[in-house]
Amino acid sequence: MALKELAENLLFEIRKNDRKTFLEESLARQFAVEPENIARAVGLLVEWGYKLNLSSKNKKLRFISPPDILSDSEIKYNLKTKVIGQTVFAYNSVKSTNDIAATMAAAKTPAPHGTIITANEQTKGRGRLGRSWHSPPGNGIYLSIILRPKFSPEKAPGISIMTALALTETINKLLPGRVQIKWPNDIFINGKKTSGILTELSAEKNKINHLIVGVGINVNQPPGSFPDEIKDTATSIRKVLRKKTNRAKLLKSFLLNFEKEYELYCKSQLSVSLKRLRKYSYLQDKHVRIISGNETIDGRVIGLNEDGSIIIKQKDKTISVASGEVTIDISKK
Ligand code: BTN
């Protein structure tokens, strides 16, 4: 067994019961290796950042805590999903996880439905409308999910708001009552953006080839670390929570929520989620201006439709808008 594999198996074993201590000798017997190899595997785990307790006196080993890394084994450990994230590609530094996902999804041997790509850093992270996504190393979650839905292409746009709901409910567990969705795909905490979603579709006439859901989450960015262009509008979970969050743990809890919401969406779009979406809405009842293609739409937000479009009440009519860039019109109350 290669050292890396031994280290991973050993980690799995001692982590299953983190209150228990394990004798180096018994572990060696269990994995059919020499005790020195166990010691070397422990050395590797420590190098990866795991906190372990190994007493040199009686050679007893105990798991203490994982590092805050997005490695494939950290992501797979205790991942409760059925499909989403069961195939993982975890990178250290990439240009954009969405670009990698698109290449993998369209490859000769295409990546399966539910494959995820994560990175510790992006050097060309992309946002909506040609913007960039600030993706410094070590602090954020940069994730792309490859989906191969059976539904028709016109149902694809609602996936953004479905994702926003799954993510909001994930972050809401850490910061109850403080997380909101700004339609169609921004997550706000205390009125500042903490996450963005970039959904990219590849489709033929009536058939989706694949859908890439890109998610950026500002998790552990320290206060004061955002560049000037976004320092007044962006925030991180750490800034509000005043402590760090383990990114792999947060990612796994999001993937589980995502899988549940995706199943619901495939069955009945957003019909059973509308109540929750309304509860988290940042825009509900606000006067807004929406730039949608060449159109500018002014009006008051009165709700959402099952397909994810937003309902706007204007003076003489009520209309639905499928996508757009929203600003709140502060001149009206
Ligand atoms: C936005 O708010 O404009 C959307 C931001 C989406 C950022 C994520 S980070 C992971 C994935 N890879 C990218 O290049 N972009 C998305």
Side-chain angles (χ1 to χ4, degrees), residues 96-98 122 125-128 133 143 186 193 196-197 215-216:
S96 154
T97 55
N98 262 34
Q122 293 185 123
R126 295 191 287 109
R128 289 174 67 229
W133 182 258
L143 161 78
D186 291 345
K193 182 162 168 171
I197 295 157
V215 181

Side-chain angles (χ1 to χ4, degrees), residues 72 80 104 165 172 180 200 242 276 304:
D72 56 352
K80 303 240 162 56
M104 285 184 177
L165 179 59
N172 195 58
Q180 288 182 302
E200 296 179 308
R242 292 168 186 269
R276 287 178 296 143
L304 276 184

Side-chain angles (χ1 to χ4, degrees), residues 222-236:
S225 70
F226 288 105
D228 280 353
E229 317 85 80
I230 54 170
K231 73 174 194 317
D232 296 330
T233 52
T235 192
S236 66

Side-chain angles (χ1 to χ4, degrees), residues 208-263:
I208 293 181
N209 297 325
H210 61 254
L211 191 60
I212 310 289
V213 181
V215 181
I217 315 174
N218 299 332
V219 185
N220 288 328
Q221 279 86 345
S225 70
F226 288 105
D228 280 353
E229 317 85 80
I230 54 170
K231 73 174 194 317
D232 296 330
T233 52
T235 192
S236 66
I237 295 175
R238 176 179 175 182
K239 197 173 161 191
V240 188
L241 195 60
R242 292 168 186 269
K243 64 175 186 187
K244 285 187 166 192
T245 297
N246 182 285
R247 286 174 299 158
K249 209 170 155 202
L250 184 69
L251 172 66
K252 284 181 275 193
S253 112
F254 165 64
L255 293 175
L256 190 61
N257 278 343
F258 181 92
E259 185 165 271
K260 284 186 200 148
E261 294 299 335
Y262 180 71
E263 278 173 11

Side-chain angles (χ1 to χ4, degrees), residues 175-196:
L175 290 163
R178 295 166 83 172
V179 195
Q180 288 182 302
I181 301 171
K182 181 178 173 232
W183 181 90
N185 41 14
D186 291 345
I187 312 296
F188 276 30
I189 306 177
N190 290 353
K192 292 191 177 188
K193 182 162 168 171
T194 184
S195 310

